[in-house]
Amino acid sequence: AKDESVMINNFDAAHRLLNHGGKSLDERYPRFRDKLDLFFIDHEWVPLLIQDNYLNSIQDRNSLKDVEDMANAADFISLGDSLNRQIRVNMDWSLLPNMGVCSSIAPALILKGKSFYPRFPEWLGKNSSQRKSMRQIRELKFAMGSSACCDKRAI
């Protein structure tokens, strides 16, 4: 079992958490300890993958209970983000299992969905584009500021 968990990547871990059981042994939903182990495969990526893909796991369900479940899952994800901040600011790594439960395990348990393979988080692509734009603006600002400075000296 240890070798199997070493071979799982972040996307596989999120996929296993978001898939709520099937009839075959491969689709069987993991026990709580196994779920926590899936979170610890990469405690930074797995919550991000869960957050970006949890709504896709419920597909076309849209009853009032499903909407309430989505809201509850979002609350747990938010709590997980708060715990992550506490971990980072206070260096309180003992909160990491709690973060795992809130950010990854609870949302998947609440929704009891079926997931396709998780998509790459869109936020990372948008954040990367934004950072690139900001860097280019800084470079342009610096280039314009330095050329203006040179022009003043020449006069």
Side-chain angles (χ1 to χ4, degrees):
K2 178 100 172 134
D3 292 335
E4 180 185 331
S5 67
V6 173
M7 300 300 292
I8 297 172
N9 64 31
N10 318 351
F11 291 90
D12 290 333
H15 179 67
R16 287 185 184 189
L17 285 168
L18 288 171
N19 274 318
H20 192 74
K23 292 184 173 52
S24 74
L25 289 175
D26 291 340
E27 295 178 0
R28 198 177 57 215
Y29 200 61
R31 296 172 308 173
F32 181 79
R33 180 64 202 174
D34 296 334
K35 293 174 201 165
L36 203 52
D37 288 344
L38 289 171
F39 163 76
F40 277 112
I41 286 175
D42 190 333
H43 64 85
E44 293 178 354
W45 270 87
V46 171
L48 185 59
L49 290 168
I50 296 289
Q51 180 178 357
D52 207 51
N53 291 283
Y54 77 103
L55 293 177
N56 296 336
S57 73
I58 61 168
Q59 298 164 356
D60 295 333
R61 297 180 351 207
N62 57 5
S63 70
L64 180 59
K65 181 179 181 339
D66 294 327
V67 173
E68 289 172 352
D69 288 346
M70 286 185 256
N72 288 334
D75 286 343
F76 272 102
I77 289 171
S78 177
L79 181 58
D81 285 344
S82 297
L83 287 169
N84 187 28
R85 179 158 171 77
Q86 288 300 314
I87 289 168
R88 305 281 178 201
V89 170
N90 300 327
M91 293 294 168
D92 189 359
W93 296 100
S94 66
L95 293 174
L96 206 52
N98 298 348
M99 179 191 146
V101 170
C102 292
S103 66
S104 301
I105 297 170
L109 278 174
I110 290 169
L111 295 177
K112 296 182 180 106
K114 274 292 204 194
S115 172
F116 297 107
Y117 203 70
R119 295 182 325 225
F120 187 80
E122 291 177 22
W123 179 85
L124 290 175
K126 290 177 182 175
N127 185 47
S128 176
S129 298
Q130 180 184 12
R131 291 179 66 144
K132 180 181 177 185
S133 297
M134 294 302 289
R135 187 186 78 245
Q136 289 174 336
I137 289 171
R138 275 195 312 273
E139 290 173 1
L140 181 62
K141 194 174 175 182
F142 178 76
M144 290 177 70
S146 64
S147 67
C149 180
C150 294
D151 290 339
K152 287 180 184 178
R153 283 189 221 148
I155 296 178

